[in-house]
Amino acid sequence: MTPHAILPDKETMYQAFVNKDASFEGLFVMGVRTTGIFCRPTCPARKPKPENVEFFPRSGDALAAGYRACKRCRPMEAKGSIPSWLRPLLAQVDAAPTRRWTSQDIRDAGLDPARVRRWFQAEHGMTFLAYLRSRRLGEAFSRVKDGSPILEAAAAADFDSVSGFCEALRKRSGASPSKAKERLPLKVQQVSSPLGPIMVAGDDQAVYLVEFWDRRMLETQFTTLEKRLNAVFFPGKSKASQQMADELDAYFQGETTTFETPIKFPGTEHQQAVWQTLLSVPSGETWTYGQLANSIGKPAAVRSVARAVGENRFAIVIPCHRIVGSDGNLTGYGGGLWRKRHLLEFERQKNFSS
Ligand SMILES: [Zn+2]
């Protein structure tokens, strides 16, 4: 799922949308920043201003960027391509987009989870569960996009979406307002970045989480903090999270590679050792998992070190993106491999120029 897949140029695609040109079906989908909705090329919807649109090779890419599928042109359903065995399942999803599905639920619906996964992977570049997650998050988050002239308008819309997300978390954990008083209140704000929105959670003293909004483990990470700290989340800005937002901005402007905002990362002793050591991997460099295991004095624990790297709650700030496979392969990244590639390239170039 790469955002850099080859697309026709923007003018051509925009024109195709204006003309409802069916020959472009399947080549791209178009996201409209002002509405947060994405459409197929032949959607009968009114044409948006060209500066408010962006294009994606596949529906999965638009979903991952935080767009919701248009209800009129139904871009998730490439014309006539939905096999009949899958239709009942998709109808159920449409009826209750926020429902959480397990593999067992899919089996109960009379389908083979592996078959469903393969179809989604081939058709949309993501698994069925990732598709559902994207839809759920899409309901909760705004679709702030980088570098757009409507950034301010989008930023103004942030509050509501973050507030929806926090509310959903609180509902799930059953934290009533009165009970919430005994808990650690953390404010959650959304920060725009060239790699998409980033969630920052903190209080006035420290930041506890910095994550890309569409990260697979985002909800898990919030739940972990809830449990470990007895935390409860509210939308808003805190002193520390605002400082972090400014530093992230400076990072993406190429003005800094280090972060001074106090951070707290509660975890097991092992996790904390790994995260602390990650902080010493310099920008512009990469380490292997083996090197990292060596430097915490556990050369044989590569696998559990890798797991702790994956459990990092601080995208960019605790630079787990600088850890690669022993053969130089990028291996995995919670925020998506395309982001890891971008971050490493960005830091490498900066190192040369500074
Ligand atoms: Zn549409």
Side-chain angles (χ1 to χ4, degrees), residues 17 37-40 42-45 69-75:
F17 183 84
I37 289 186
F38 73 96
C39 289
R40 56 169 78 240
T42 54
C43 181
C70 170
K71 287 195 172 123
R72 291 180 73 182
C73 65
R74 300 179 158 263

Side-chain angles (χ1 to χ4, degrees), residues 17 35 82 94 118 124 130 141 144 278:
F17 183 84
T35 57
I82 296 196
D94 274 341
R118 275 197 304 273
H124 298 302
F141 288 98
V144 178
L278 274 173

Side-chain angles (χ1 to χ4, degrees), residues 314-330:
F314 288 86
I316 300 169
V317 179
I318 296 183
C320 58
H321 60 277
R322 294 178 197 148
I323 305 299
V324 298
S326 54
D327 53 0
N329 254 324
L330 291 190

Side-chain angles (χ1 to χ4, degrees), residues 28-95:
F28 72 84
V29 294
M30 184 181 83
V32 183
R33 293 192 182 99
T34 39
T35 57
I37 289 186
F38 73 96
C39 289
R40 56 169 78 240
T42 54
C43 181
R46 265 190 322 153
K47 63 174 180 161
K49 290 190 181 142
E51 64 265 30
N52 290 339
V53 303
E54 65 182 318
F55 300 92
F56 302 92
R58 283 181 301 195
S59 298
D61 302 310
L63 279 174
Y67 286 94
R68 278 164 300 148
C70 170
K71 287 195 172 123
R72 291 180 73 182
C73 65
R74 300 179 158 263
M76 291 303 291
E77 307 171 13
K79 265 190 187 113
S81 73
I82 296 196
S84 54
W85 58 267
L86 192 59
R87 283 176 193 275
L89 180 68
L90 290 185
Q92 283 189 58
V93 172
D94 274 341

